[in-house]
């Protein structure tokens, strides 16, 4: 995981707790559904009243899959114990068959991995 930039690191040092990202002003764990209430207010302000916390989780996993996360990576990120649960996020890579086939054809034609586009030859 990349290290946060200086400004973000300063904000985390100032506002986040040591064991939890979201804490109260005095550094203690948030009480009850404080975080959820803040989330509801924020989504209302931006006009996304139907957005759920689970939608954020799904989006994060989908983006991870698009960056090349493996099934094992996805399972670990969300604590899934079965491949079936993690597989639902792999829809993000559906449709990449054409891109993969083209890259394989280029590799076969040139016989040199160095000639492939960088995004094909590197992970993440």
């Amino acid at each position: 995981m990349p290290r946060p930039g200086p400004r973000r690191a300063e904000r985390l040092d100032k506002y986040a707790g040591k064991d939890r990202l979201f804490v109260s002003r005095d550094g203690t764990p948030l009480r009850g559904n404080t975080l959820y209430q803040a989330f509801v207010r924020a989504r209302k302000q931006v006009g996304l009243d139907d957005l759920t916390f689970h939608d954020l989780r799904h989006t994060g996993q989908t983006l991870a899959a698009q960056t090349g996360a493996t099934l094992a990576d996805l399972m670990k990120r969300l604590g899934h114990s079965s491949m079936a649960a993690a597989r639902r996020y792999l829809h993000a890579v559906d449709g990449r068959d054409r891109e993969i086939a083209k890259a394989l054809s280029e590799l076969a034609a040139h016989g040199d991995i160095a000639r492939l586009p960088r995004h094909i030859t590197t992970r993440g």
Side-chain angles (χ1 to χ4, degrees), residues 5-48:
R7 294 196 60 179
R8 194 165 102 197
E10 288 172 21
R11 288 191 302 269
L12 286 172
D13 287 343
K14 184 174 181 179
Y15 298 109
K18 292 184 186 216
D19 298 321
R20 300 167 189 256
L21 180 59
F22 299 105
V23 294
S24 65
R25 289 185 179 167
D26 65 0
T28 58
L30 293 174
R31 301 177 91 182
N33 67 349
T34 304
L35 180 60
Y36 180 73
Q37 290 172 359
F39 173 72
V40 169
R41 285 191 305 273
R43 72 181 185 192
K44 187 173 186 167
Q45 280 184 336
V46 296
L48 296 173

Side-chain angles (χ1 to χ4, degrees), residues 39 43-44 47-53 55:
F39 173 72
R43 72 181 185 192
K44 187 173 186 167
L48 296 173
D49 294 335
D50 294 335
L51 185 70
T52 67
F53 246 68
D55 293 335

Side-chain angles (χ1 to χ4, degrees), residues 6 15 32 45 51-52 55 87 89 98 101 104 120 123-124:
Y15 298 109
Q45 280 184 336
L51 185 70
T52 67
D55 293 335
R87 260 192 212 109
Y89 300 104
R98 185 173 305 212
L104 288 171
I120 299 293
R123 288 188 68 194

